[in-house]
Amino acid sequence: IQMTQSPSSLSASVGDTVTITCRAGQGIGNYVAWYQQRPGEAPKSLIFDASNLQSGVPSKFSGSRSGTDFTLTISSLQPEDFATYYCHQYNRYPYTFGQGTKLEIK
Amino acid sequence: QVQLVESGGGVVQPGGSLRLSCAASGIISGTFGSYGMNWVRQAPGKGLEWVAVISFDGSTTHYADSVTGRFTISRDNSKNTLFLQMNSLRDEDTAVYYCTKTVTRVLGYFDFWGQGTLVSVSS
């Protein structure tokens, strides 16, 4: 199942709100997760089942679904939020990830 | 807090073999065997690619097409350890390999990731 993630890169300022989108190639229900990866680190879980916040993750991160479109919204950007973000579908094998969105400081 | 620690990466020639391990700690005794486990890889400067999954009891496995027939995922629940046997390695297998824990017995997202181990296939 192809996951088309956009944009591939995004420039924003501290305090901004940004949105990242993934479109699934077919229906996958709510089986989408979002991960954050800072440079040199392993990915970290943020959102699961499209809109549920992983334990310990601040509420500035939120997820939503509309049909086969999935969105990650990050509000009130802080310096530690500038990283690469990936969507992941786990509806069926082979699991697939979006291409990633690199969020950079403007 | 669950910790996953990978080991076994290194430099290997094309056509060679390597066995990766992933030791889990911080899991209540006996519960490692309650969760599915996966391997995910990331080539240098590239995105994430799922490699393989094994069910909680080891009875079910699935692989990415790119590694089917060459890689084997297995686990030893008595030692809280996950493995990835990699044979017939190719240049394109060069990547950081992460082990990940699934929230359910098989299918599911990854709630914990290891720090990764680098595999470099080069002559």
Side-chain angles (χ1 to χ4, degrees), chain A residues 32-33 35 37 40-45 47-49 54 86 88 90-99, chain B residues 38 40 42 46-50 53 62-65 98 102 106-116:
Chain A
V32 165
Y35 304 98
Q37 186 177 33
E41 296 185 4
K44 169 190 168 185
S45 173
I47 300 285
F48 65 94
D49 293 349
Q54 179 71 24
Y86 295 93
H88 161 216
Y90 48 96
N91 181 63
R92 65 183 65 184
Y93 300 114
Y95 287 166
T96 45
F97 293 91
Q99 302 93 320
Chain B
N38 298 257
V40 175
Q42 186 171 36
K46 302 298 183 182
L48 301 171
E49 179 188 17
W50 173 78
V53 62
H62 295 278
Y63 298 91
D65 288 346
Y98 297 101
T102 303
V106 186
L107 283 169
Y109 77 101
F110 311 141
D111 58 348
F112 289 100
W113 296 63
Q115 87 289 347

Side-chain angles (χ1 to χ4, degrees), chain B residues 7-91:
Chain B
S7 60
V11 180
V12 60
Q13 292 188 335
S17 297
L18 214 53
R19 190 192 197 204
L20 305 183
S21 299
C22 171
S25 61
I27 291 181
I28 297 172
S29 178
T31 64
F32 175 76
S34 298
Y35 303 103
M37 296 292 293
N38 298 257
W39 289 97
V40 175
R41 68 184 180 183
Q42 186 171 36
K46 302 298 183 182
L48 301 171
E49 179 188 17
W50 173 78
V51 173
V53 62
I54 187 167
S55 61
F56 68 107
D57 61 355
S59 63
T60 301
T61 59
H62 295 278
Y63 298 91
D65 288 346
S66 57
V67 306
T68 296
R70 300 187 300 121
F71 290 12
T72 302
I73 188 171
S74 61
R75 65 192 297 162
D76 184 342
N77 287 342
S78 68
K79 296 182 179 179
N80 286 3
T81 304
L82 174 73
F83 303 100
L84 185 67
Q85 178 66 44
M86 304 185 295
N87 298 331
S88 303
L89 282 161
R90 306 167 179 167
D91 290 349

